[in-house]
Amino acid sequence: MISASAAKAIIKEQCETLPPVVVPIKQAMGTVLAEDIYAPVDIPCYPQSSMDGYAFSYAGWKPGEPLDLYGEMAAGSNQTIELIPGKAVRIFTGAAVPPGADTVVIQEKIRLEGDELHIEDPELKAGDNVRPIGSEISKNALALEKGTLLTAPGIGFLAGIGLAEVKVYPKPRVAIIVTGNELQEPGKPLEYGQVYESNSASLTAALEALLIRDIQLYRVADNLNSLSATLATALENADLVLLTGGISVGDYDFTLKATLECGIETIFHKIKQKPGKPILFGKQGQKPVFGLPGNPASVMTCFYEYVLVAIGEMQHRNLALRKRNAILANTVKKPAGPTHYLKGYADGEKVMSLEGQESYKLNSFARANCLIMLPEECTQAGPGDEVEIHILPF
């Protein structure tokens, strides 16, 4: 067995970034740019009013003297009005400031007397309320660097400079394989000896929270031939494969054998931790494969602590859980040796370990907002002690 820290380092080293693809800008949320982006045009590409008001030539105006009104400029209008000194045009936010004008006085700072405009803004300066050409970005200037994570504002910025598509590192196509004869789908009656299958629901939700939509789900009985055939199919169609269950050493645990039959190289199997000790990480070529335990809390702990690391490497971004220290509010105990990840709830500077830490229980996970990491050498921590917590991404 290896340590938790060693396992994460191995995953980072072994997982490679997926080849870049070109996608429509509206599908790029949460991806990382695979190239530098340069502005194809000046933004704005014309002098633009930033307010509703009146445009005029500041140099051609004598403070205290009225200006003659001459027409109107609405946003989107392509009409041409050339102002001469002493005249003003009604203008609206986003409209082109006409030639001959260089300043806009806001409508709240004027007085109209017929067609005469009286400016009542003693603080007004030349150029006020006008966005110069290229004031957001100039043509051919670097807009966003390669490696930038595309957020909603970032996508809006790129759309605003006229881009319809971008080259990014894509989100992986993920296959989830759920194994277990005892599993029943939610919504159907339970027979004696059955449990409702929840791992596919929690994993799918966790992936969708990362905006990963291409998810294939397979359900397989505890049968080596069936599992091997399903795994082979999943490997053909996915960039990342997650198996749940069948990774221990029982008579009906076939996951390890199936991975070997499908030519998957085992990178490590078992980590010195609780929950989730039996986790397997392997690769077929460059495709990562995780054999996750069957118990629901183990599955989600391993997903957040290890699978997130792999997905981050594949997308050329850091998805590892954010870490910080917090003051423990109650007493926790563990044997020396394995790292423990306890479901916890952090409130301000303090964190409490929740009841129901067993690997088959999700009720505590459903209320948790962090995992409390107790290192190998720790055997007990109590109120007032400082512990490391990993913030869950929801």
Side-chain angles (χ1 to χ4, degrees), residues 91-331:
I91 199 166
F92 297 90
T93 303
V97 175
D102 58 13
T103 303
V104 171
V105 58
I106 64 174
Q107 60 190 16
E108 292 85 359
K109 296 288 186 177
I110 62 94
R111 175 171 50 85
L112 284 176
E113 292 183 356
D115 289 334
E116 288 189 340
L117 175 75
H118 296 264
I119 296 175
E120 299 180 337
D121 185 356
E123 305 298 324
L124 190 67
K125 305 182 298 299
D128 276 0
N129 306 312
V130 174
R131 303 164 183 160
I133 293 174
S135 56
E136 179 168 13
I137 191 166
S138 300
K139 182 178 180 179
N140 298 323
L142 180 64
L144 289 179
E145 296 179 341
K146 177 181 178 180
T148 299
L149 175 66
L150 289 178
T151 60
I155 287 173
F157 173 52
L158 295 183
I161 64 174
L163 297 188
E165 56 186 25
V166 286
K167 181 182 285 188
V168 299
Y169 299 108
K171 304 178 185 76
R173 300 168 299 159
V174 181
I176 301 171
I177 302 176
V178 177
T179 67
N181 292 336
E182 77 280 12
L183 301 178
Q184 175 63 290
E185 294 183 44
K188 296 182 179 180
L190 279 179
E191 302 291 340
Y192 185 75
Q194 290 184 325
V195 295
Y196 284 121
E197 188 276 306
S198 64
N199 289 333
S200 63
S202 55
L203 287 173
T204 298
L207 291 166
E208 289 182 342
L210 299 172
L211 304 180
I212 294 174
R213 310 291 189 203
D214 194 342
I215 305 168
Q216 302 157 343
L217 175 61
Y218 305 87
R219 290 186 171 89
V220 187
D222 289 324
N223 176 280
L224 178 57
N225 292 335
S226 297
L227 181 56
S228 296
T230 301
L231 179 54
T233 299
L235 287 165
E236 289 180 2
N237 300 313
D239 303 306
L240 169 66
V241 178
L242 308 178
L243 299 102
T244 70
I247 196 58
S248 295
V249 293
D251 292 345
Y252 293 92
D253 290 328
F254 298 116
T255 294
L256 179 58
K257 292 179 181 179
T259 62
L260 297 175
E261 285 196 2
C262 290
I264 295 168
E265 176 191 4
T266 300
I267 308 299
F268 63 74
H269 182 202
K270 297 182 181 180
I271 300 176
K272 290 187 289 184
Q273 72 169 44
K274 185 177 182 181
K277 170 184 171 182
I279 182 175
L280 176 145
F281 171 64
K283 292 171 64 180
Q284 187 201 62
Q286 299 306 320
K287 294 186 178 183
V289 177
F290 285 89
L292 305 175
N295 282 319
S298 298
V299 168
M300 294 314 297
T301 299
C302 290
F303 178 86
Y304 287 124
E305 291 291 338
Y306 302 105
V307 179
L308 271 187
V309 175
I311 294 174
E313 292 299 309
M314 298 174 80
Q315 287 194 245
H316 197 67
R317 60 181 293 199
N318 180 18
L319 286 176
L321 297 182
R322 183 168 57 89
K323 302 176 183 178
R324 70 175 179 87
N325 291 338
I327 302 301
L328 194 60
N330 55 349
T331 299

